[in-house]
Amino acid sequence: MLRRFIDRAAAAALLFSTIAGFQAIAQENAAVAYSSPQEYKSLLAEHQKVYQYPSQEKVDRIVDSVFRKLSTREKIAQIMIIEFDSQDGSRRKAMQNRLVKKEKIGGLIPMNDDLVPAIRRMNELNRLSRIPMLISIDAEWGANMRYWDEIPPFPRQMQLGALSSDSLVYRMGYLLGKECRLLKMQVNYAPDIDINNNPSNPAINTRSFGEDKEKVARYGIAIMQGMKDAGVAGSAKHFPGHGDTDVDSHLALPVIPFDYQRLDTLEMYPFKHLVAAGVDMVMVAHLNVPALDPSGTPSSISRKIVTELLRDKLGFKGIICTDALNMHGVAKESGLEKKDIPLAAYKAGADILLMPEDVENSITVIEQALKRGEITMAGLNERVKKMLALKARLGLFEKGYSPLVEMNGLEQRVIVQENLDLMQQIAKNSMTVLFNDNSQGFGLPVSFKGKKVAYVGYKNPVLGREFAAVANKYGQVDTIILEDDASLAALRDARNRLRDHDLVIFGFNQTDQRPHKGYAINPENISFITEWAKEQPMIAVYLGSPYALTRIPNYRNFTAFVLGYSNNQANNFAAAQVVFGGIPAIGVLPVTAASFKVGESVVIPDRFREELFHFIGSEGDSIQQVKFDLGEASPLLSVVPQAAELVASGKIRESDTLGELLEVEGTDSNLTVGELFTPASARKHIYYMHALISKYRNYVSAESFVQNMLRKLGMRHTAFNGKSVAVAGYSLQDIITSREDLAKFIFAAHNGGLYAGERVFSPYTAGLILKLKDSYLK
């Protein structure tokens, strides 16, 4: 797990100095800083291996061996990828079996399904294939995009756009690749490098890194390189750019009305950088782009866009893939019959034909076009060899390789702790504070001093209860959880019950990312909530899209606004810690939203309290709460801080000897106070520390000092347990505590003696605790 947040935003490295053309692009855009492939690899842990691609000589040998055995019809089938679903009917399954066994189709793509039946069906089809098939998947935020009940989701790309570094983005790309390889899938149709500058975009939206073209390019390269290092080919999409549309190309043909200058400098900007960086594949969208093709031909079947622009002008030598050919943007709007659409895409210059609807007849149509001389055999051979070379590079022809997924324990194997850890890291580093008014003490991070604090979990009670549990680890927070069907009456009741509270934290936990669904915001309820925020200090925690701000009138009535991007456990956990200062707030807004510009945020760089690392109710969380006797380590929480405060207050000095201070005789009389405060002496001479406290600190009892310290730290599980413990032959009171409480104590020491803005002990004492803690807490 990377615990270092590496910011390369100002780095001056180029991505691939060896790739022709890339240096020129980087020079033209000197503000963009890219990490090199080797820099990315350095971010991997020691146990993580980079996929070893075979030599070009070996790839060529494999391609030649397979290619020469193919008939013309089989060659055509090789450049097609068909979809499947375990729920398909018997006729459709029979057709798929035929395409695999008889036609030798090139690849498969799974549709939405349940994991086990889907993989079982994929295994069935792979058993029928004599030539290994390329298995591809739409997995922009992981295989959860297809198997959402069984596999945890990585964050969507818009949340990645809130990060200030590409290191975690690369890590996610690598783990996306590992997840695909686990499922024997070799191509991921990601990253989406559309620049989403249209809040109403129904097709892209949160699938985009945002509207900063430089960040989109940089993070797109990071995802691509991560997948490549894991042995998975990426596909930059949706060329020439699907971000500024308000029409879904699944349902119709969006129009991109901008001139060439705008398209070249904005929409196509990330594509040029990924092409230069060596992306394996580019997916062409179904768009009407008059500036690029005045005929109105959908871009996926436009030779001007596919060949003349992408292939020739941008110099892309890799594989060009169509978007799904069954989407209405081309299937309906082209005016062509289903069987003719793949030929149109082929003529435009596509190498891979994705999800044609009438596959067998489409193969025949292309075969007939060859015979008529409309297309050449040389062009077909080139495409087939590209497909076979990709398969060879990704290991499908390697000796001993099996395309079959082991079914035993599959549902357990796809839940990978390394992935879960990264999801938490991304959540932690992307939480975004849009504004924060702490002038009256009602902003972030929340202080409990002199305040009665409450939390309202609005819908999604599971997340509400988890947020409340995190809150109560930091202090006393009264909680109201409103169910999914919470009405205006329930909100009124909550307001009435909390009238005597000084501060309310309001959690928007049931959200929707889709603009056409109104982001799941009830106008009447949201109006009531914002009016409530006007009457009573209130912090908003919104676990949803930044675009939803346009549906929240008077959002400035809140004292602070935390944006959490989506309503999942990792984001909820991170947002709660931002509110109470357990982690810094360092996310930045990836898009323009309401009155906020892209890149805006309020950065809260320092921790206010200790960080929590374990989800509520997890095994790690339970372990943190287990109480235990400190035993011989008890002085670290009692005697050491009290003795150190004597020095900090000037009552004694480090240079004073025990002979001078305590009239000690013999060898120990020459020991100085400073020598007592060394790891070697601290446990051995605890008696002398206690004697110094008894003689020179008479304004408060030892027990009162400790209890006051525990109160300030909120160490509610720590106390003297009524037992005694012998330390170096001296009897002291034993302390019972928990790891959770110790974390507060150690945090205060690291924070110079401050906890939640309050002075607990002096910086001198804080430094001494850090120096001695390892000798006590072994």
Side-chain angles (χ1 to χ4, degrees), residues 133-175:
M133 290 185 290
L134 191 73
I135 311 299
S136 59
I137 185 173
D138 262 322
E140 296 163 23
W141 55 87
N144 166 274
M145 196 166 170
R146 287 288 174 252
Y147 312 116
W148 53 77
D149 283 338
E150 299 95 341
I151 303 178
F154 286 96
R156 294 198 179 199
Q157 289 186 188
M158 185 169 286
Q159 184 169 354
L160 299 182
L163 298 171
S164 298
S165 163
D166 59 0
S167 62
L168 295 177
V169 182
Y170 167 78
R171 287 286 311 284
M172 179 170 141
Y174 179 80
L175 294 180

Short mmCIF file of all heavy atoms in Angstrom, two decimals, residues 133-175:
data_model
loop_
_atom_site.label_atom_id
_atom_site.label_comp_id
_atom_site.label_asym_id
_atom_site.label_seq_id
_atom_site.Cartn_x
_atom_site.Cartn_y
_atom_site.Cartn_z
N MET A 133 -9.72 -16.88 -28.02
CA MET A 133 -10.48 -15.66 -28.25
C MET A 133 -9.99 -14.55 -27.34
O MET A 133 -9.61 -14.78 -26.20
CB MET A 133 -11.98 -15.92 -28.02
CG MET A 133 -12.61 -16.80 -29.07
SD MET A 133 -14.40 -16.97 -28.84
CE MET A 133 -14.45 -17.96 -27.35
N LEU A 134 -10.04 -13.33 -27.85
CA LEU A 134 -9.74 -12.15 -27.06
C LEU A 134 -10.96 -11.84 -26.21
O LEU A 134 -12.04 -11.60 -26.74
CB LEU A 134 -9.42 -10.97 -27.98
CG LEU A 134 -8.82 -9.73 -27.32
CD1 LEU A 134 -7.37 -9.98 -26.92
CD2 LEU A 134 -8.91 -8.54 -28.29
N ILE A 135 -10.79 -11.86 -24.90
CA ILE A 135 -11.91 -11.56 -24.00
C ILE A 135 -11.77 -10.11 -23.54
O ILE A 135 -10.76 -9.73 -22.95
CB ILE A 135 -11.95 -12.50 -22.79
CG1 ILE A 135 -11.83 -13.97 -23.24
CG2 ILE A 135 -13.24 -12.27 -22.00
CD1 ILE A 135 -12.95 -14.45 -24.15
N SER A 136 -12.77 -9.32 -23.84
CA SER A 136 -12.72 -7.89 -23.51
C SER A 136 -13.89 -7.55 -22.59
O SER A 136 -14.86 -8.29 -22.49
CB SER A 136 -12.77 -7.06 -24.79
OG SER A 136 -13.96 -7.34 -25.52
N ILE A 137 -13.76 -6.41 -21.94
CA ILE A 137 -14.80 -6.01 -20.99
C ILE A 137 -14.80 -4.50 -20.82
O ILE A 137 -13.76 -3.86 -20.92
CB ILE A 137 -14.58 -6.69 -19.61
CG1 ILE A 137 -15.73 -6.38 -18.63
CG2 ILE A 137 -13.23 -6.31 -19.02
CD1 ILE A 137 -15.66 -7.14 -17.32
N ASP A 138 -15.96 -3.94 -20.61
CA ASP A 138 -16.07 -2.56 -20.15
C ASP A 138 -15.89 -2.57 -18.64
O ASP A 138 -16.79 -2.97 -17.91
CB ASP A 138 -17.47 -2.00 -20.49
CG ASP A 138 -17.47 -1.17 -21.76
OD1 ASP A 138 -16.49 -0.45 -21.99
OD2 ASP A 138 -18.44 -1.25 -22.51
N ALA A 139 -14.74 -2.15 -18.18
CA ALA A 139 -14.45 -2.19 -16.74
C ALA A 139 -13.73 -0.92 -16.33
O ALA A 139 -12.64 -0.94 -15.77
CB ALA A 139 -13.62 -3.43 -16.39
N GLU A 140 -14.36 0.22 -16.61
CA GLU A 140 -13.74 1.51 -16.29
C GLU A 140 -13.49 1.65 -14.80
O GLU A 140 -12.49 2.21 -14.38
CB GLU A 140 -14.63 2.64 -16.80
CG GLU A 140 -14.79 2.67 -18.31
CD GLU A 140 -15.98 3.51 -18.74
OE1 GLU A 140 -16.40 4.39 -17.96
OE2 GLU A 140 -16.49 3.29 -19.86
N TRP A 141 -14.44 1.17 -14.00
CA TRP A 141 -14.24 1.18 -12.54
C TRP A 141 -14.22 -0.27 -12.02
O TRP A 141 -14.63 -0.57 -10.92
CB TRP A 141 -15.31 2.02 -11.83
CG TRP A 141 -16.73 1.66 -12.13
CD1 TRP A 141 -17.50 0.71 -11.49
CD2 TRP A 141 -17.58 2.24 -13.12
NE1 TRP A 141 -18.76 0.68 -12.02
CE2 TRP A 141 -18.85 1.61 -13.03
CE3 TRP A 141 -17.41 3.24 -14.08
CZ2 TRP A 141 -19.91 1.95 -13.87
CZ3 TRP A 141 -18.47 3.57 -14.91
CH2 TRP A 141 -19.70 2.93 -14.79
N GLY A 142 -13.67 -1.14 -12.87
CA GLY A 142 -13.51 -2.53 -12.48
C GLY A 142 -14.61 -3.41 -13.03
O GLY A 142 -15.59 -2.96 -13.63
N ALA A 143 -14.45 -4.71 -12.80
CA ALA A 143 -15.43 -5.67 -13.30
C ALA A 143 -16.79 -5.49 -12.63
O ALA A 143 -17.80 -6.03 -13.09
CB ALA A 143 -14.93 -7.10 -13.07
N ASN A 144 -16.83 -4.70 -11.56
CA ASN A 144 -18.12 -4.33 -10.95
C ASN A 144 -19.05 -3.68 -11.96
O ASN A 144 -20.28 -3.73 -11.80
CB ASN A 144 -17.87 -3.38 -9.78
CG ASN A 144 -19.12 -2.68 -9.29
OD1 ASN A 144 -19.50 -1.63 -9.82
ND2 ASN A 144 -19.78 -3.25 -8.30
N MET A 145 -18.50 -3.08 -13.00
CA MET A 145 -19.31 -2.44 -14.03
C MET A 145 -20.23 -3.45 -14.70
O MET A 145 -21.29 -3.09 -15.23
CB MET A 145 -18.38 -1.78 -15.06
CG MET A 145 -19.04 -0.77 -15.97
SD MET A 145 -17.78 0.20 -16.84
CE MET A 145 -18.80 1.08 -18.03
N ARG A 146 -19.84 -4.72 -14.64
CA ARG A 146 -20.68 -5.79 -15.18
C ARG A 146 -21.24 -6.68 -14.07
O ARG A 146 -22.34 -7.20 -14.19
CB ARG A 146 -19.86 -6.65 -16.15
CG ARG A 146 -19.58 -5.95 -17.48
CD ARG A 146 -20.84 -5.84 -18.31
NE ARG A 146 -20.63 -5.06 -19.53
CZ ARG A 146 -21.12 -3.84 -19.72
NH1 ARG A 146 -21.82 -3.24 -18.78
NH2 ARG A 146 -20.90 -3.21 -20.85
N TYR A 147 -20.48 -6.86 -13.01
CA TYR A 147 -20.87 -7.80 -11.94
C TYR A 147 -20.97 -7.03 -10.63
O TYR A 147 -20.12 -7.16 -9.74
CB TYR A 147 -19.86 -8.94 -11.85
CG TYR A 147 -19.53 -9.55 -13.20
CD1 TYR A 147 -18.25 -9.48 -13.72
CD2 TYR A 147 -20.52 -10.17 -13.96
CE1 TYR A 147 -17.95 -10.03 -14.96
CE2 TYR A 147 -20.23 -10.71 -15.20
CZ TYR A 147 -18.94 -10.63 -15.70
OH TYR A 147 -18.66 -11.17 -16.94
N TRP A 148 -21.98 -6.17 -10.51
CA TRP A 148 -22.02 -5.22 -9.40
C TRP A 148 -22.40 -5.84 -8.07
O TRP A 148 -22.16 -5.24 -7.03
CB TRP A 148 -22.96 -4.05 -9.73
CG TRP A 148 -24.34 -4.45 -10.15
CD1 TRP A 148 -25.35 -4.87 -9.37
CD2 TRP A 148 -24.84 -4.44 -11.48
NE1 TRP A 148 -26.47 -5.13 -10.12
CE2 TRP A 148 -26.18 -4.87 -11.44
CE3 TRP A 148 -24.29 -4.09 -12.73
CZ2 TRP A 148 -26.97 -4.99 -12.57
CZ3 TRP A 148 -25.08 -4.21 -13.86
CH2 TRP A 148 -26.40 -4.65 -13.77
N ASP A 149 -23.00 -7.02 -8.07
CA ASP A 149 -23.38 -7.63 -6.79
C ASP A 149 -22.22 -8.37 -6.14
O ASP A 149 -22.23 -8.59 -4.93
CB ASP A 149 -24.54 -8.60 -7.00
CG ASP A 149 -25.87 -7.88 -7.16
OD1 ASP A 149 -25.95 -6.72 -6.72
OD2 ASP A 149 -26.80 -8.45 -7.75
N GLU A 150 -21.24 -8.78 -6.93
CA GLU A 150 -20.19 -9.65 -6.39
C GLU A 150 -18.83 -8.98 -6.23
O GLU A 150 -18.03 -9.41 -5.38
CB GLU A 150 -20.01 -10.89 -7.30
CG GLU A 150 -21.25 -11.76 -7.42
CD GLU A 150 -22.09 -11.42 -8.66
OE1 GLU A 150 -21.92 -10.31 -9.22
OE2 GLU A 150 -22.89 -12.27 -9.07
N ILE A 151 -18.54 -7.96 -7.03
CA ILE A 151 -17.20 -7.38 -7.03
C ILE A 151 -17.27 -5.93 -6.59
O ILE A 151 -18.03 -5.14 -7.15
CB ILE A 151 -16.57 -7.49 -8.43
CG1 ILE A 151 -16.52 -8.96 -8.88
CG2 ILE A 151 -15.16 -6.89 -8.43
CD1 ILE A 151 -15.96 -9.15 -10.27
N PRO A 152 -16.47 -5.54 -5.59
CA PRO A 152 -16.50 -4.13 -5.15
C PRO A 152 -16.03 -3.19 -6.26
O PRO A 152 -15.12 -3.52 -7.02
CB PRO A 152 -15.51 -4.12 -3.97
CG PRO A 152 -15.38 -5.55 -3.55
CD PRO A 152 -15.57 -6.36 -4.79
N PRO A 153 -16.63 -2.00 -6.36
CA PRO A 153 -16.25 -1.06 -7.42
C PRO A 153 -15.06 -0.19 -7.03
O PRO A 153 -14.96 0.28 -5.91
CB PRO A 153 -17.51 -0.20 -7.59
CG PRO A 153 -18.10 -0.17 -6.20
CD PRO A 153 -17.79 -1.52 -5.59
N PHE A 154 -14.16 0.01 -7.99
CA PHE A 154 -13.19 1.08 -7.84
C PHE A 154 -13.93 2.40 -8.05
O PHE A 154 -15.04 2.42 -8.58
CB PHE A 154 -12.08 0.94 -8.89
CG PHE A 154 -11.11 -0.17 -8.61
CD1 PHE A 154 -11.27 -1.42 -9.19
CD2 PHE A 154 -10.02 0.03 -7.78
CE1 PHE A 154 -10.37 -2.45 -8.95
CE2 PHE A 154 -9.11 -0.99 -7.53
CZ PHE A 154 -9.29 -2.23 -8.11
N PRO A 155 -13.34 3.52 -7.68
CA PRO A 155 -14.01 4.80 -7.92
C PRO A 155 -14.18 5.08 -9.41
O PRO A 155 -13.38 4.63 -10.24
CB PRO A 155 -13.05 5.82 -7.30
CG PRO A 155 -12.22 5.04 -6.35
CD PRO A 155 -12.09 3.67 -6.94
N ARG A 156 -15.23 5.82 -9.73
CA ARG A 156 -15.39 6.28 -11.11
C ARG A 156 -14.33 7.35 -11.40
O ARG A 156 -13.77 7.96 -10.51
CB ARG A 156 -16.79 6.83 -11.33
CG ARG A 156 -17.84 5.75 -11.21
CD ARG A 156 -19.15 6.16 -11.84
NE ARG A 156 -20.15 5.11 -11.73
CZ ARG A 156 -21.22 5.05 -12.49
NH1 ARG A 156 -21.45 5.98 -13.41
NH2 ARG A 156 -22.09 4.07 -12.34
N GLN A 157 -14.11 7.57 -12.69
CA GLN A 157 -12.99 8.42 -13.09
C GLN A 157 -13.14 9.86 -12.62
O GLN A 157 -12.15 10.54 -12.38
CB GLN A 157 -12.79 8.35 -14.60
CG GLN A 157 -12.22 7.02 -15.04
CD GLN A 157 -11.87 6.95 -16.51
OE1 GLN A 157 -11.54 5.90 -17.04
NE2 GLN A 157 -11.92 8.07 -17.20
N MET A 158 -14.37 10.36 -12.48
CA MET A 158 -14.51 11.73 -12.02
C MET A 158 -13.94 11.89 -10.62
O MET A 158 -13.34 12.93 -10.30
CB MET A 158 -15.96 12.19 -12.06
CG MET A 158 -16.11 13.67 -11.70
SD MET A 158 -17.74 14.36 -12.01
CE MET A 158 -17.71 14.47 -13.79
N GLN A 159 -14.09 10.89 -9.77
CA GLN A 159 -13.49 10.97 -8.44
C GLN A 159 -11.97 10.95 -8.53
O GLN A 159 -11.29 11.63 -7.77
CB GLN A 159 -14.00 9.85 -7.53
CG GLN A 159 -13.47 9.97 -6.12
CD GLN A 159 -14.15 9.05 -5.12
OE1 GLN A 159 -15.12 8.37 -5.45
NE2 GLN A 159 -13.63 9.00 -3.91
N LEU A 160 -11.44 10.19 -9.47
CA LEU A 160 -9.98 10.20 -9.66
C LEU A 160 -9.52 11.59 -10.07
O LEU A 160 -8.42 12.02 -9.73
CB LEU A 160 -9.57 9.19 -10.74
CG LEU A 160 -9.89 7.71 -10.48
CD1 LEU A 160 -9.37 6.86 -11.62
CD2 LEU A 160 -9.32 7.24 -9.15
N GLY A 161 -10.38 12.31 -10.81
CA GLY A 161 -10.05 13.66 -11.21
C GLY A 161 -9.92 14.62 -10.04
O GLY A 161 -9.37 15.71 -10.19
N ALA A 162 -10.41 14.22 -8.86
CA ALA A 162 -10.28 15.06 -7.65
C ALA A 162 -8.91 14.87 -6.99
O ALA A 162 -8.56 15.64 -6.09
CB ALA A 162 -11.38 14.72 -6.65
N LEU A 163 -8.14 13.88 -7.44
CA LEU A 163 -6.81 13.65 -6.88
C LEU A 163 -5.83 14.68 -7.44
O LEU A 163 -6.00 15.18 -8.56
CB LEU A 163 -6.32 12.25 -7.23
CG LEU A 163 -7.14 11.08 -6.68
CD1 LEU A 163 -6.66 9.77 -7.30
CD2 LEU A 163 -7.07 11.01 -5.17
N SER A 164 -4.79 14.95 -6.69
CA SER A 164 -3.77 15.90 -7.14
C SER A 164 -2.51 15.20 -7.62
O SER A 164 -1.49 15.83 -7.83
CB SER A 164 -3.42 16.86 -5.99
OG SER A 164 -4.55 17.61 -5.63
N SER A 165 -2.58 13.89 -7.78
CA SER A 165 -1.41 13.11 -8.18
C SER A 165 -1.86 11.96 -9.06
O SER A 165 -2.97 11.44 -8.92
CB SER A 165 -0.70 12.57 -6.94
OG SER A 165 0.17 11.51 -7.28
N ASP A 166 -0.98 11.54 -9.96
CA ASP A 166 -1.31 10.41 -10.82
C ASP A 166 -0.86 9.07 -10.25
O ASP A 166 -1.08 8.02 -10.85
CB ASP A 166 -0.71 10.60 -12.22
CG ASP A 166 0.81 10.74 -12.21
OD1 ASP A 166 1.41 10.69 -11.12
OD2 ASP A 166 1.40 10.91 -13.29
N SER A 167 -0.22 9.07 -9.07
CA SER A 167 0.32 7.82 -8.53
C SER A 167 -0.78 6.82 -8.19
O SER A 167 -0.69 5.63 -8.52
CB SER A 167 1.19 8.10 -7.30
OG SER A 167 0.42 8.69 -6.27
N LEU A 168 -1.84 7.27 -7.53
CA LEU A 168 -2.93 6.38 -7.18
C LEU A 168 -3.73 5.98 -8.42
O LEU A 168 -4.30 4.89 -8.47
CB LEU A 168 -3.85 7.03 -6.15
CG LEU A 168 -3.23 7.30 -4.77
CD1 LEU A 168 -4.23 8.01 -3.86
CD2 LEU A 168 -2.76 6.00 -4.12
N VAL A 169 -3.76 6.85 -9.42
CA VAL A 169 -4.45 6.54 -10.67
C VAL A 169 -3.72 5.39 -11.37
O VAL A 169 -4.34 4.45 -11.86
CB VAL A 169 -4.51 7.78 -11.58
CG1 VAL A 169 -5.27 7.47 -12.87
CG2 VAL A 169 -5.16 8.95 -10.85
N TYR A 170 -2.42 5.47 -11.41
CA TYR A 170 -1.63 4.37 -11.98
C TYR A 170 -1.86 3.07 -11.22
O TYR A 170 -2.06 2.00 -11.82
CB TYR A 170 -0.14 4.72 -11.96
CG TYR A 170 0.75 3.52 -12.25
CD1 TYR A 170 0.92 3.05 -13.54
CD2 TYR A 170 1.38 2.84 -11.21
CE1 TYR A 170 1.71 1.95 -13.81
CE2 TYR A 170 2.17 1.74 -11.45
CZ TYR A 170 2.34 1.29 -12.76
OH TYR A 170 3.11 0.18 -13.00
N ARG A 171 -1.84 3.17 -9.87
CA ARG A 171 -2.07 1.97 -9.07
C ARG A 171 -3.43 1.36 -9.38
O ARG A 171 -3.57 0.14 -9.45
CB ARG A 171 -2.00 2.32 -7.57
CG ARG A 171 -0.61 2.60 -7.05
CD ARG A 171 0.22 1.32 -6.89
NE ARG A 171 -0.49 0.29 -6.19
CZ ARG A 171 -0.70 0.25 -4.87
NH1 ARG A 171 -0.24 1.22 -4.12
NH2 ARG A 171 -1.35 -0.74 -4.33
N MET A 172 -4.44 2.21 -9.56
CA MET A 172 -5.75 1.68 -9.89
C MET A 172 -5.72 1.00 -11.25
O MET A 172 -6.31 -0.07 -11.43
CB MET A 172 -6.80 2.79 -9.87
CG MET A 172 -8.19 2.28 -10.23
SD MET A 172 -9.47 3.51 -9.93
CE MET A 172 -10.53 3.21 -11.36
N GLY A 173 -5.03 1.60 -12.22
CA GLY A 173 -4.92 0.96 -13.53
C GLY A 173 -4.28 -0.41 -13.43
O GLY A 173 -4.73 -1.37 -14.06
N TYR A 174 -3.24 -0.49 -12.62
CA TYR A 174 -2.55 -1.78 -12.45
C TYR A 174 -3.49 -2.82 -11.83
O TYR A 174 -3.57 -3.97 -12.29
CB TYR A 174 -1.32 -1.59 -11.58
CG TYR A 174 -0.54 -2.86 -11.32
CD1 TYR A 174 0.34 -3.37 -12.27
CD2 TYR A 174 -0.71 -3.56 -10.14
CE1 TYR A 174 1.04 -4.54 -12.05
CE2 TYR A 174 -0.01 -4.73 -9.89
CZ TYR A 174 0.87 -5.21 -10.84
OH TYR A 174 1.55 -6.39 -10.61
N LEU A 175 -4.23 -2.42 -10.79
CA LEU A 175 -5.12 -3.38 -10.13
C LEU A 175 -6.34 -3.69 -10.98
O LEU A 175 -6.88 -4.80 -10.90
CB LEU A 175 -5.52 -2.85 -8.75
CG LEU A 175 -4.37 -2.74 -7.74
CD1 LEU A 175 -4.87 -2.21 -6.41
CD2 LEU A 175 -3.66 -4.08 -7.55
#
